[in-house]
Amino acid sequence: MNKSTQYGILAAILAICLYLVLYFVEKQLIVNPFVKSLRYPIYIVCAWIAVGKSRSMMEDKSALASWIRPAFLTFVVASTIFTIFEFVLFRFVDHDLYRLSAEYLNEHFPEIQPKGVPGRTKAIAEVGIEEAVSISRTIFTLARELVVGFLFSALIGLIWRNKE
């Protein structure tokens, strides 16, 4: 197992531990987007360390891709593990989290509320847990995470390359 994979697993474990601490302290915290983004500093630190540990094994240190690769692999591993954990937590362990998340969005982002069921002006369509926390939505969430991870990885790779 290479350093990037090891640090990706470490980042995921640390992020899950943070998530579980918040879950047991106050469930409402883990549906807050700001609090959910607290895992990114963990990912960034682990990706930074992974690049530092991988630099001796790089073949072409002048290529930016050589510096981005270990950081991005760390993000891929960490994001994949964390997304699977979050899917299982929301879908199978605690259905109340979905309700709390919907309440949070309705309260803080009223402009994105559904407009209602066609033919009934004020009736809002109920969405079940199977539809709200589905595999396709989880894959889409993971794809968004990987885009963010690539941006952070590119920045980390650029800094490391210019540092050498």
Side-chain angles (χ1 to χ4, degrees):
M1 189 180 319
N2 64 22
K3 295 291 182 192
S4 299
T5 305
Q6 291 173 349
Y7 281 101
I9 292 170
L10 177 64
I13 290 170
L14 292 173
I16 289 170
C17 288
L18 172 66
Y19 212 66
L20 287 175
V21 166
L22 295 174
Y23 176 79
F24 289 117
V25 168
E26 177 64 42
K27 278 194 223 183
Q28 184 67 39
L29 287 174
I30 65 171
V31 298
N32 184 323
F34 173 73
V35 173
K36 286 178 79 169
S37 67
L38 289 177
R39 69 184 178 273
Y40 290 123
I42 296 169
Y43 292 1
I44 290 169
V45 168
C46 288
W48 181 271
I49 295 170
V51 172
K53 299 283 184 182
S54 300
R55 70 179 173 206
S56 63
M57 295 179 283
M58 289 181 190
E59 294 174 14
D60 184 12
K61 291 186 179 182
S62 63
L64 183 58
S66 297
W67 295 97
I68 293 174
R69 188 175 296 114
F72 187 57
L73 183 57
T74 302
F75 271 96
V76 168
V77 170
S79 296
T80 302
I81 293 170
F82 187 84
T83 302
I84 291 169
F85 163 76
E86 194 174 43
F87 173 78
V88 170
L89 181 65
F90 273 74
R91 178 81 181 255
F92 301 111
V93 176
D94 192 348
H95 293 266
D96 196 38
L97 289 173
Y98 164 67
R99 185 187 55 75
L100 289 172
S101 181
E103 287 174 5
Y104 181 87
L105 288 175
N106 288 336
E107 180 181 336
H108 297 285
F109 301 99
E111 66 275 5
I112 62 169
Q113 291 183 23
K115 303 297 183 218
V117 177
R120 293 184 250 157
T121 56
K122 296 292 180 188
I124 296 175
E126 286 294 319
V127 177
I129 189 76
E130 294 81 18
E131 184 182 348
V133 186
S134 65
I135 291 177
S136 61
R137 287 183 188 230
T138 302
I139 291 171
F140 181 73
T141 300
L142 178 60
R144 274 194 331 234
E145 290 284 319
L146 295 181
V147 169
V148 171
F150 181 77
L151 295 175
F152 281 129
S153 299
L155 185 63
I156 290 168
L158 192 61
I159 292 169
W160 266 105
R161 187 185 76 174
N162 291 337
K163 208 171 126 171
E164 286 292 314

